[in-house]
Amino acid sequence: NAGVTQTPKFQVLKTGQSMTLQCAQDMNHNSMYWYRQDPGMGLRLIYYSASEGTTDKGEVPNGYNVSRLNKREFSLRLESAAPSQTSVYFCASSEARLAGMYYNEQFFGPGTRLTVL
Amino acid sequence: ILNVEQSPQSLHVQEGDSTNFTCSFPSSNFYALHWYRWETAKSPEALFVMTLNGDEKKKGRISATLNTKEGYSYLYIKGSQPEDSATYLCAFPNAGGTSYGKLTFGQGTILTVHP
């Protein structure tokens, strides 16, 4: 099992460009998440998807959109990149069924390092 | 927004030292407390999910305790080794029927073990 995979690993954009970060998991998990990690800020949730067909905002959603394409894939789109979006982006997944949603650990992808000039 | 705090922010110890750090979280609406280990240039990986007051979990030289009434958890590392150098994160599940596994992470404790 590959677990959680993310593409690309690195990306440099100019201000105003758009791009989509891809995430896929092969663990048949219901829930998927996008985080950004900035120095001194820890992991902050951008968007999450509780199940296929649903998405919801996290703590820092502005400037991002997401698509839960199917149960395996959850993509994050930057429509018009800004330097403030320079960060490391992590995708994660968890089983998180209603009965156990507090107890299931999250599994993280390897991250995408994005620089916006 | 849930308040999950970790202290200290960073810690430098010598190889062989034992060390511990703290995660504090809201004591009301407690369901679970997660600990993750995050090595540089890698992804966070779960260490423990703790659910019961007084719980103690152990994995090798790393152990964790939980006090849900006062809202804190300790992570202990016995006989630290350089390979224990990492950021240790705690995370608190968000309550509510639509939250589905959402976690609020603390800012982490960065541990550096010097040979």
Side-chain angles (χ1 to χ4, degrees), chain A residues 20-95:
Chain A
T20 300
L21 281 64
Q22 306 287 353
C23 173
Q25 52 90 11
D26 62 2
M27 295 173 282
N28 203 34
H29 285 165
N30 291 308
S31 297
M32 297 184 74
Y33 315 87
W34 275 106
Y35 294 92
R36 60 178 288 174
Q37 186 251 328
D38 303 295
M41 305 291 287
L43 282 169
R44 292 185 293 168
L45 184 66
I46 305 171
Y47 269 93
Y48 73 103
S49 170
S51 60
E52 185 179 351
T54 69
T55 61
D56 210 342
K57 294 178 181 178
E59 188 185 344
V60 287
N62 290 346
Y64 305 95
N65 284 304
V66 289
S67 295
R68 183 75 182 265
L69 304 167
N70 47 55
K71 192 170 186 180
R72 288 188 65 246
E73 297 172 288
F74 188 38
S75 62
L76 178 73
R77 182 158 178 85
L78 287 71
E79 290 292 350
S80 178
S84 59
Q85 294 178 303
T86 293
S87 188
V88 182
Y89 291 84
F90 286 95
C91 177
S93 71
S94 71
E95 178 58 21

Side-chain angles (χ1 to χ4, degrees), chain B residues 70-86:
Chain B
E70 294 182 40
Y72 65 83
S73 176
Y74 292 137
L75 193 80
Y76 299 91
I77 303 179
K78 186 177 175 182
S80 304
Q81 299 296 309
E83 58 264 32
D84 296 328
S85 297

